[in-house]
Amino acid sequence: MTDSGYILLLFGMAAVTYVPRWLPLRLLSGRTLPRWFLDWLSLIPVAVLSALLLPELLISGPSRHLDPTNPKLLVAIPTFLVAAKTKSLLWAVLTGMALYWAAGKLL
């Protein structure tokens, strides 16, 4: 690929990254959105985080089989409980780190 091809590729990647973020912001700025839509938007981070975490917590091994005894899942459950009880990112992270360290030493 030539230098101009790389530059064109760079601008193309920048456009497909920037436009989907800019377009809704531009179209929706200054408008009052319905409450149900704002509630729906607030669920997106939880859905994305769940989609990223659950495969890592529930599936293990080279064969990628369902493993309910996965040590990461055993660490995540009490971490989630601490996060739900305290509503504190600090305590959730500290709990998760401590439990993950302990699981590495014990298991």
Side-chain angles (χ1 to χ4, degrees):
M1 188 181 286
T2 64
D3 288 342
S4 61
Y6 281 116
I7 291 173
L8 184 61
L9 180 65
L10 179 71
F11 281 117
M13 290 187 311
V16 300
T17 301
Y18 180 72
V19 170
R21 289 173 172 82
W22 173 80
L23 193 60
L25 197 64
R26 178 78 174 125
L27 293 175
L28 298 175
S29 66
R31 294 186 180 180
T32 303
L33 300 175
R35 184 73 204 155
W36 65 266
F37 188 67
L38 294 174
D39 291 340
W40 179 79
L41 285 175
S42 72
L43 298 174
I44 291 175
V46 175
V48 170
L49 185 61
S50 298
L52 292 172
L53 283 179
L54 283 179
E56 185 68 25
L57 296 177
L58 294 176
I59 299 172
S60 68
S63 63
R64 305 295 295 164
H65 66 280
L66 185 62
D67 183 12
T69 62
N70 186 350
K72 292 176 186 173
L73 178 63
L74 299 176
V75 167
I77 291 171
T79 303
F80 290 146
L81 293 174
V82 167
K85 175 105 172 120
T86 64
K87 306 253 189 292
S88 167
L89 178 63
L90 175 67
W91 286 112
V93 168
L94 291 176
T95 302
M97 289 172 50
L99 290 174
Y100 193 76
W101 175 81
K105 294 287 185 186
L106 299 175
L107 300 177

